[in-house]
Amino acid sequence: HDSSDGFDLEISCMVADLSDMDTLEQTAEDMFGRLIEREKRNSTCRTYDRTILVNNAGSLGYLGKCSDMASLSELQRAINFNVTSSSWISSQFVGKFSSPTDNQKCACTCVVVNISSLCAIEPFSTMSIYCAGKAARDLFHSVLAKEESGAAKSVRVLNYAPGMCETAMSEELAESDRLDSKLSSMYRTALNDKTMVQPKDTAEKLVGIIEQNEWRNGAHIDYWDE
């Protein structure tokens, strides 16, 4: 609990492997079940008026030319983690939090943020699996938005591309000998010149977008968009 600045904030951490298809259903049930049970413990407790899922878990997957791909199991693992897992988590979140619970007279506002990428809308050589996964996630969440956009619905979906961020993934791409040479050079230059987007800055941009709540449901918005 943290009551600083007038807020009563409860932080609960849960470690889970979202790439494990054998445990994914139970993981989602446990993860969202904790939040639901917290509301049920006290009927006088103020129920959630807004729930937000930032769906970010994923991996690069195979790097290299499409025609050089040699492992079907590696391909399947990447698709499971980047597409199957992401789709399941978002679908379960909306199903549980967009409908009234026993404690609620009406459903709360439900916001789903799929962390997207420029790779979802543009092809990049030697990043076929990452691009395919991001594109699939974008379209899944766009369909989710379309299905939940009725007048009586309170579900908002955003595909947010955070920009080229200075993260461990960017460092991996800069050092990879399997990545297209021009892409690898671009990442190395951006890292060396300190021109990458800082995670804090893109997170603040995302919070601002959510607070303004003016985006077209299911839209793809990039950090660099006005």
Side-chain angles (χ1 to χ4, degrees):
H1 289 272
D2 184 349
S3 58
S4 60
D5 299 323
F7 292 99
D8 184 11
L9 178 64
E10 179 178 326
I11 299 173
S12 178
C13 298
M14 177 177 172
V15 178
D17 183 358
L18 298 182
S19 68
D20 188 341
M21 296 297 103
D22 292 332
T23 60
L24 183 62
E25 287 184 76
Q26 190 59 51
T27 294
E29 186 66 31
D30 292 344
M31 186 163 51
F32 300 138
R34 284 188 183 187
L35 300 176
I36 294 170
E37 285 303 315
R38 177 172 177 261
E39 292 293 85
K40 288 182 176 180
R41 283 200 298 266
N42 184 356
S43 60
T44 63
C45 179
R46 178 175 177 267
T47 55
Y48 301 123
D49 54 16
R50 178 165 59 169
T51 56
I52 303 172
L53 170 69
V54 180
N55 196 333
N56 184 40
S59 66
L60 283 171
Y62 166 80
L63 295 175
K65 291 180 63 178
C66 297
S67 57
D68 290 339
M69 198 179 304
S71 173
L72 178 59
S73 60
E74 180 183 2
L75 170 61
Q76 186 65 68
R77 283 195 302 272
I79 296 299
N80 279 342
F81 187 19
N82 291 290
V83 181
T84 307
S85 176
S86 169
S87 302
W88 182 258
I89 293 297
S90 289
S91 69
Q92 297 305 295
F93 178 80
V94 171
K96 291 183 182 300
F97 291 105
S98 67
S99 300
T101 66
D102 294 338
N103 274 357
Q104 293 174 314
K105 294 180 180 179
C106 60
C108 63
T109 299
C110 186
V111 180
V112 178
V113 180
N114 167 49
I115 298 302
S116 185
S117 168
L118 183 61
C119 291
I121 58 176
E122 288 190 20
F124 287 86
S125 295
T126 64
M127 295 184 70
S128 58
I129 303 307
Y130 187 76
C131 289
K134 288 297 186 182
R137 287 169 66 136
D138 260 35
L139 195 53
F140 175 87
H141 286 87
S142 295
V143 171
L144 178 63
K146 187 177 183 66
E147 292 174 346
E148 302 291 339
S149 290
K153 297 293 185 178
S154 55
V155 177
R156 300 281 284 147
V157 183
L158 171 66
N159 293 303
Y160 178 69
M164 186 190 292
C165 293
E166 187 174 338
T167 62
M169 189 187 82
S170 294
E171 294 175 0
E172 181 180 348
L173 289 170
E175 298 170 0
S176 176
D177 58 1
R178 296 180 296 162
L179 192 66
D180 177 83
S181 59
K182 292 181 180 179
L183 278 178
S184 184
S185 176
M186 179 185 71
Y187 274 97
R188 285 196 301 273
T189 299
L191 280 171
N192 292 334
D193 294 347
K194 302 295 183 181
T195 57
M196 286 193 168
V197 177
Q198 294 303 304
K200 179 177 181 293
D201 293 333
T202 197
E204 289 178 352
K205 174 79 177 275
L206 174 58
V207 169
I209 293 171
I210 294 173
E211 287 300 317
Q212 291 174 12
N213 194 28
E214 295 176 350
W215 76 89
R216 176 182 56 80
N217 210 7
H220 176 105
I221 297 178
D222 193 278
Y223 172 79
W224 295 107
D225 291 344
E226 294 295 331

